[in-house]
PDB file of all heavy atoms in Angstrom:
ATOM      1  N   GLY A  20    -103.400 -11.826  47.412  1.00  0.00           N
ATOM      2  CA  GLY A  20    -102.660 -13.085  47.476  1.00  0.00           C
ATOM      3  C   GLY A  20    -101.172 -12.843  47.637  1.00  0.00           C
ATOM      4  O   GLY A  20    -100.747 -11.848  48.226  1.00  0.00           O
ATOM      5  N   ASN A  21    -100.375 -13.743  47.063  1.00  0.00           N
ATOM      6  CA  ASN A  21     -98.923 -13.674  47.217  1.00  0.00           C
ATOM      7  C   ASN A  21     -98.228 -13.478  45.880  1.00  0.00           C
ATOM      8  O   ASN A  21     -98.596 -14.101  44.881  1.00  0.00           O
ATOM      9  CB  ASN A  21     -98.401 -14.974  47.844  1.00  0.00           C
ATOM     10  CG  ASN A  21     -98.950 -15.210  49.229  1.00  0.00           C
ATOM     11  OD1 ASN A  21     -98.979 -14.313  50.057  1.00  0.00           O
ATOM     12  ND2 ASN A  21     -99.403 -16.426  49.486  1.00  0.00           N
ATOM     13  N   THR A  22     -97.223 -12.621  45.878  1.00  0.00           N
ATOM     14  CA  THR A  22     -96.239 -12.602  44.799  1.00  0.00           C
ATOM     15  C   THR A  22     -95.174 -13.619  45.193  1.00  0.00           C
ATOM     16  O   THR A  22     -94.641 -13.551  46.300  1.00  0.00           O
ATOM     17  CB  THR A  22     -95.623 -11.209  44.648  1.00  0.00           C
ATOM     18  OG1 THR A  22     -96.674 -10.258  44.419  1.00  0.00           O
ATOM     19  CG2 THR A  22     -94.626 -11.171  43.498  1.00  0.00           C
ATOM     20  N   THR A  23     -94.869 -14.560  44.295  1.00  0.00           N
ATOM     21  CA  THR A  23     -94.046 -15.711  44.675  1.00  0.00           C
ATOM     22  C   THR A  23     -92.870 -15.899  43.731  1.00  0.00           C
ATOM     23  O   THR A  23     -93.031 -15.848  42.508  1.00  0.00           O
ATOM     24  CB  THR A  23     -94.900 -16.998  44.674  1.00  0.00           C
ATOM     25  OG1 THR A  23     -96.015 -16.823  45.545  1.00  0.00           O
ATOM     26  CG2 THR A  23     -94.090 -18.196  45.124  1.00  0.00           C
ATOM     27  N   ILE A  24     -91.689 -16.117  44.323  1.00  0.00           N
ATOM     28  CA  ILE A  24     -90.499 -16.496  43.554  1.00  0.00           C
ATOM     29  C   ILE A  24     -90.057 -17.851  44.087  1.00  0.00           C
ATOM     30  O   ILE A  24     -89.697 -17.983  45.257  1.00  0.00           O
ATOM     31  CB  ILE A  24     -89.386 -15.456  43.678  1.00  0.00           C
ATOM     32  CG1 ILE A  24     -89.882 -14.098  43.160  1.00  0.00           C
ATOM     33  CG2 ILE A  24     -88.145 -15.891  42.901  1.00  0.00           C
ATOM     34  CD1 ILE A  24     -88.908 -12.971  43.345  1.00  0.00           C
ATOM     35  N   LYS A  25     -90.071 -18.847  43.226  1.00  0.00           N
ATOM     36  CA  LYS A  25     -89.870 -20.215  43.690  1.00  0.00           C
ATOM     37  C   LYS A  25     -88.392 -20.610  43.732  1.00  0.00           C
ATOM     38  O   LYS A  25     -87.507 -19.889  43.267  1.00  0.00           O
ATOM     39  CB  LYS A  25     -90.676 -21.182  42.819  1.00  0.00           C
ATOM     40  CG  LYS A  25     -92.180 -20.979  42.972  1.00  0.00           C
ATOM     41  CD  LYS A  25     -92.978 -22.049  42.250  1.00  0.00           C
ATOM     42  CE  LYS A  25     -94.477 -21.853  42.483  1.00  0.00           C
ATOM     43  NZ  LYS A  25     -95.274 -22.896  41.789  1.00  0.00           N
ATOM     44  N   GLU A  26     -88.163 -21.757  44.286  1.00  0.00           N
ATOM     45  CA  GLU A  26     -86.838 -22.263  44.654  1.00  0.00           C
ATOM     46  C   GLU A  26     -85.838 -22.223  43.496  1.00  0.00           C
ATOM     47  O   GLU A  26     -86.137 -22.641  42.380  1.00  0.00           O
ATOM     48  CB  GLU A  26     -86.971 -23.703  45.145  1.00  0.00           C
ATOM     49  CG  GLU A  26     -85.680 -24.326  45.622  1.00  0.00           C
ATOM     50  CD  GLU A  26     -85.866 -25.722  46.173  1.00  0.00           C
ATOM     51  OE1 GLU A  26     -87.032 -26.181  46.255  1.00  0.00           O
ATOM     52  OE2 GLU A  26     -84.876 -26.368  46.520  1.00  0.00           O
ATOM     53  N   GLY A  27     -84.658 -21.699  43.801  1.00  0.00           N
ATOM     54  CA  GLY A  27     -83.537 -21.763  42.877  1.00  0.00           C
ATOM     55  C   GLY A  27     -83.502 -20.712  41.800  1.00  0.00           C
ATOM     56  O   GLY A  27     -82.594 -20.703  40.967  1.00  0.00           O
ATOM     57  N   THR A  28     -84.450 -19.787  41.781  1.00  0.00           N
ATOM     58  CA  THR A  28     -84.466 -18.744  40.755  1.00  0.00           C
ATOM     59  C   THR A  28     -83.421 -17.670  41.066  1.00  0.00           C
ATOM     60  O   THR A  28     -83.202 -17.309  42.217  1.00  0.00           O
ATOM     61  CB  THR A  28     -85.876 -18.138  40.641  1.00  0.00           C
ATOM     62  OG1 THR A  28     -86.697 -19.057  39.933  1.00  0.00           O
ATOM     63  CG2 THR A  28     -85.874 -16.809  39.922  1.00  0.00           C
ATOM     64  N   LYS A  29     -82.799 -17.162  40.008  1.00  0.00           N
ATOM     65  CA  LYS A  29     -81.753 -16.139  40.139  1.00  0.00           C
ATOM     66  C   LYS A  29     -82.166 -14.903  39.339  1.00  0.00           C
ATOM     67  O   LYS A  29     -82.463 -14.998  38.143  1.00  0.00           O
ATOM     68  CB  LYS A  29     -80.415 -16.667  39.624  1.00  0.00           C
ATOM     69  CG  LYS A  29     -80.033 -18.067  40.134  1.00  0.00           C
ATOM     70  CD  LYS A  29     -79.875 -18.131  41.644  1.00  0.00           C
ATOM     71  CE  LYS A  29     -79.485 -19.539  42.099  1.00  0.00           C
ATOM     72  NZ  LYS A  29     -79.415 -19.663  43.575  1.00  0.00           N
ATOM     73  N   ILE A  30     -82.142 -13.756  40.023  1.00  0.00           N
ATOM     74  CA  ILE A  30     -82.603 -12.513  39.416  1.00  0.00           C
ATOM     75  C   ILE A  30     -81.509 -11.456  39.511  1.00  0.00           C
ATOM     76  O   ILE A  30     -80.941 -11.230  40.572  1.00  0.00           O
ATOM     77  CB  ILE A  30     -83.900 -12.032  40.100  1.00  0.00           C
ATOM     78  CG1 ILE A  30     -85.008 -13.068  39.865  1.00  0.00           C
ATOM     79  CG2 ILE A  30     -84.317 -10.666  39.587  1.00  0.00           C
ATOM     80  CD1 ILE A  30     -86.317 -12.748  40.537  1.00  0.00           C
ATOM     81  N   ASP A  31     -81.222 -10.828  38.387  1.00  0.00           N
ATOM     82  CA  ASP A  31     -80.152  -9.842  38.249  1.00  0.00           C
ATOM     83  C   ASP A  31     -80.584  -8.496  38.856  1.00  0.00           C
ATOM     84  O   ASP A  31     -81.665  -8.356  39.430  1.00  0.00           O
ATOM     85  CB  ASP A  31     -79.824  -9.711  36.764  1.00  0.00           C
ATOM     86  CG  ASP A  31     -78.491  -9.049  36.488  1.00  0.00           C
ATOM     87  OD1 ASP A  31     -77.767  -8.715  37.445  1.00  0.00           O
ATOM     88  OD2 ASP A  31     -78.169  -8.860  35.294  1.00  0.00           O
ATOM     89  N   ASN A  32     -79.742  -7.488  38.698  1.00  0.00           N
ATOM     90  CA  ASN A  32     -79.999  -6.150  39.225  1.00  0.00           C
ATOM     91  C   ASN A  32     -81.147  -5.453  38.478  1.00  0.00           C
ATOM     92  O   ASN A  32     -81.393  -5.712  37.302  1.00  0.00           O
ATOM     93  CB  ASN A  32     -78.747  -5.277  39.093  1.00  0.00           C
ATOM     94  CG  ASN A  32     -77.536  -5.889  39.741  1.00  0.00           C
ATOM     95  OD1 ASN A  32     -77.631  -6.487  40.806  1.00  0.00           O
ATOM     96  ND2 ASN A  32     -76.390  -5.756  39.106  1.00  0.00           N
ATOM     97  N   GLN A  33     -81.810  -4.556  39.177  1.00  0.00           N
ATOM     98  CA  GLN A  33     -82.792  -3.624  38.592  1.00  0.00           C
ATOM     99  C   GLN A  33     -83.907  -4.327  37.827  1.00  0.00           C
ATOM    100  O   GLN A  33     -84.290  -3.932  36.729  1.00  0.00           O
ATOM    101  CB  GLN A  33     -82.076  -2.612  37.688  1.00  0.00           C
ATOM    102  CG  GLN A  33     -81.096  -1.735  38.454  1.00  0.00           C
ATOM    103  CD  GLN A  33     -80.397  -0.740  37.568  1.00  0.00           C
ATOM    104  OE1 GLN A  33     -80.025  -1.039  36.435  1.00  0.00           O
ATOM    105  NE2 GLN A  33     -80.219   0.463  38.069  1.00  0.00           N
ATOM    106  N   VAL A  34     -84.449  -5.353  38.420  1.00  0.00           N
ATOM    107  CA  VAL A  34     -85.596  -6.065  37.852  1.00  0.00           C
ATOM    108  C   VAL A  34     -86.842  -5.686  38.654  1.00  0.00           C
ATOM    109  O   VAL A  34     -86.801  -5.615  39.881  1.00  0.00           O
ATOM    110  CB  VAL A  34     -85.382  -7.587  37.901  1.00  0.00           C
ATOM    111  CG1 VAL A  34     -86.656  -8.348  37.545  1.00  0.00           C
ATOM    112  CG2 VAL A  34     -84.243  -7.987  36.965  1.00  0.00           C
ATOM    113  N   HIS A  35     -87.939  -5.442  37.943  1.00  0.00           N
ATOM    114  CA  HIS A  35     -89.214  -5.168  38.622  1.00  0.00           C
ATOM    115  C   HIS A  35     -90.186  -6.311  38.398  1.00  0.00           C
ATOM    116  O   HIS A  35     -90.372  -6.780  37.267  1.00  0.00           O
ATOM    117  CB  HIS A  35     -89.859  -3.881  38.127  1.00  0.00           C
ATOM    118  CG  HIS A  35     -91.213  -3.655  38.741  1.00  0.00           C
ATOM    119  ND1 HIS A  35     -91.371  -3.302  40.066  1.00  0.00           N
ATOM    120  CD2 HIS A  35     -92.463  -3.794  38.234  1.00  0.00           C
ATOM    121  CE1 HIS A  35     -92.662  -3.214  40.339  1.00  0.00           C
ATOM    122  NE2 HIS A  35     -93.348  -3.512  39.248  1.00  0.00           N
ATOM    123  N   ILE A  36     -90.850  -6.751  39.480  1.00  0.00           N
ATOM    124  CA  ILE A  36     -91.843  -7.823  39.409  1.00  0.00           C
ATOM    125  C   ILE A  36     -93.136  -7.311  40.033  1.00  0.00           C
ATOM    126  O   ILE A  36     -93.160  -6.891  41.189  1.00  0.00           O
ATOM    127  CB  ILE A  36     -91.352  -9.081  40.138  1.00  0.00           C
ATOM    128  CG1 ILE A  36     -90.068  -9.600  39.456  1.00  0.00           C
ATOM    129  CG2 ILE A  36     -92.433 -10.167  40.150  1.00  0.00           C
ATOM    130  CD1 ILE A  36     -89.373 -10.688  40.220  1.00  0.00           C
ATOM    131  N   GLY A  37     -94.214  -7.345  39.263  1.00  0.00           N
ATOM    132  CA  GLY A  37     -95.486  -6.797  39.697  1.00  0.00           C
ATOM    133  C   GLY A  37     -96.266  -7.723  40.624  1.00  0.00           C
ATOM    134  O   GLY A  37     -95.911  -8.886  40.842  1.00  0.00           O
ATOM    135  N   HIS A  38     -97.360  -7.191  41.134  1.00  0.00           N
ATOM    136  CA  HIS A  38     -98.168  -7.857  42.156  1.00  0.00           C
ATOM    137  C   HIS A  38     -98.742  -9.196  41.674  1.00  0.00           C
ATOM    138  O   HIS A  38     -99.136  -9.346  40.523  1.00  0.00           O
ATOM    139  CB  HIS A  38     -99.310  -6.944  42.597  1.00  0.00           C
ATOM    140  CG  HIS A  38    -100.356  -6.708  41.529  1.00  0.00           C
ATOM    141  ND1 HIS A  38    -101.474  -7.496  41.396  1.00  0.00           N
ATOM    142  CD2 HIS A  38    -100.435  -5.777  40.547  1.00  0.00           C
ATOM    143  CE1 HIS A  38    -102.210  -7.065  40.391  1.00  0.00           C
ATOM    144  NE2 HIS A  38    -101.598  -6.021  39.854  1.00  0.00           N
ATOM    145  N   ASP A  39     -98.758 -10.168  42.566  1.00  0.00           N
ATOM    146  CA  ASP A  39     -99.396 -11.472  42.348  1.00  0.00           C
ATOM    147  C   ASP A  39     -98.741 -12.307  41.248  1.00  0.00           C
ATOM    148  O   ASP A  39     -99.295 -13.329  40.846  1.00  0.00           O
ATOM    149  CB  ASP A  39    -100.892 -11.303  42.045  1.00  0.00           C
ATOM    150  CG  ASP A  39    -101.655 -10.708  43.212  1.00  0.00           C
ATOM    151  OD1 ASP A  39    -101.922 -11.442  44.174  1.00  0.00           O
ATOM    152  OD2 ASP A  39    -101.971  -9.503  43.161  1.00  0.00           O
ATOM    153  N   THR A  40     -97.597 -11.879  40.772  1.00  0.00           N
ATOM    154  CA  THR A  40     -96.881 -12.682  39.778  1.00  0.00           C
ATOM    155  C   THR A  40     -96.232 -13.880  40.467  1.00  0.00           C
ATOM    156  O   THR A  40     -95.772 -13.792  41.600  1.00  0.00           O
ATOM    157  CB  THR A  40     -95.834 -11.811  39.055  1.00  0.00           C
ATOM    158  OG1 THR A  40     -96.519 -10.977  38.109  1.00  0.00           O
ATOM    159  CG2 THR A  40     -94.787 -12.624  38.333  1.00  0.00           C
ATOM    160  N   VAL A  41     -96.200 -14.998  39.748  1.00  0.00           N
ATOM    161  CA  VAL A  41     -95.570 -16.213  40.254  1.00  0.00           C
ATOM    162  C   VAL A  41     -94.455 -16.609  39.299  1.00  0.00           C
ATOM    163  O   VAL A  41     -94.697 -16.838  38.111  1.00  0.00           O
ATOM    164  CB  VAL A  41     -96.582 -17.370  40.375  1.00  0.00           C
ATOM    165  CG1 VAL A  41     -95.887 -18.650  40.840  1.00  0.00           C
ATOM    166  CG2 VAL A  41     -97.701 -17.003  41.339  1.00  0.00           C
ATOM    167  N   ILE A  42     -93.230 -16.658  39.820  1.00  0.00           N
ATOM    168  CA  ILE A  42     -92.070 -17.051  39.030  1.00  0.00           C
ATOM    169  C   ILE A  42     -91.640 -18.440  39.486  1.00  0.00           C
ATOM    170  O   ILE A  42     -91.442 -18.684  40.670  1.00  0.00           O
ATOM    171  CB  ILE A  42     -90.933 -16.034  39.177  1.00  0.00           C
ATOM    172  CG1 ILE A  42     -91.389 -14.680  38.628  1.00  0.00           C
ATOM    173  CG2 ILE A  42     -89.663 -16.507  38.470  1.00  0.00           C
ATOM    174  CD1 ILE A  42     -90.396 -13.572  38.771  1.00  0.00           C
ATOM    175  N   GLY A  43     -91.491 -19.351  38.546  1.00  0.00           N
ATOM    176  CA  GLY A  43     -91.247 -20.753  38.852  1.00  0.00           C
ATOM    177  C   GLY A  43     -89.853 -21.047  39.354  1.00  0.00           C
ATOM    178  O   GLY A  43     -89.047 -20.155  39.644  1.00  0.00           O
ATOM    179  N   LYS A  44     -89.536 -22.325  39.418  1.00  0.00           N
ATOM    180  CA  LYS A  44     -88.250 -22.801  39.930  1.00  0.00           C
ATOM    181  C   LYS A  44     -87.147 -22.642  38.880  1.00  0.00           C
ATOM    182  O   LYS A  44     -87.373 -22.808  37.687  1.00  0.00           O
ATOM    183  CB  LYS A  44     -88.356 -24.269  40.327  1.00  0.00           C
ATOM    184  CG  LYS A  44     -89.321 -24.541  41.467  1.00  0.00           C
ATOM    185  CD  LYS A  44     -89.370 -26.032  41.787  1.00  0.00           C
ATOM    186  CE  LYS A  44     -90.331 -26.303  42.938  1.00  0.00           C
ATOM    187  NZ  LYS A  44     -90.397 -27.740  43.280  1.00  0.00           N
ATOM    188  N   LYS A  45     -85.952 -22.299  39.368  1.00  0.00           N
ATOM    189  CA  LYS A  45     -84.721 -22.275  38.565  1.00  0.00           C
ATOM    190  C   LYS A  45     -84.841 -21.422  37.306  1.00  0.00           C
ATOM    191  O   LYS A  45     -84.355 -21.781  36.246  1.00  0.00           O
ATOM    192  CB  LYS A  45     -84.291 -23.696  38.215  1.00  0.00           C
ATOM    193  CG  LYS A  45     -83.884 -24.513  39.443  1.00  0.00           C
ATOM    194  CD  LYS A  45     -83.235 -25.835  39.081  1.00  0.00           C
ATOM    195  CE  LYS A  45     -84.207 -26.840  38.564  1.00  0.00           C
ATOM    196  NZ  LYS A  45     -83.604 -28.162  38.330  1.00  0.00           N
TER     197      LYS A  45
END
């Protein structure tokens, strides 16, 4: 499937996000 980062989210340096994770808005 998809790993998804939704609208308006802000992510700092050196962050790891694993497979198929969904991060919501803002």
Side-chain angles (χ1 to χ4, degrees):
N21 298 314
T22 303
T23 304
I24 300 175
K25 294 187 177 180
E26 183 177 356
T28 284
K29 313 298 180 184
I30 297 177
D31 197 2
N32 305 321
Q33 297 180 321
V34 170
H35 176 72
I36 298 170
H38 68 91
D39 296 283
T40 284
V41 177
I42 297 177
K44 296 180 180 180
K45 295 190 287 185

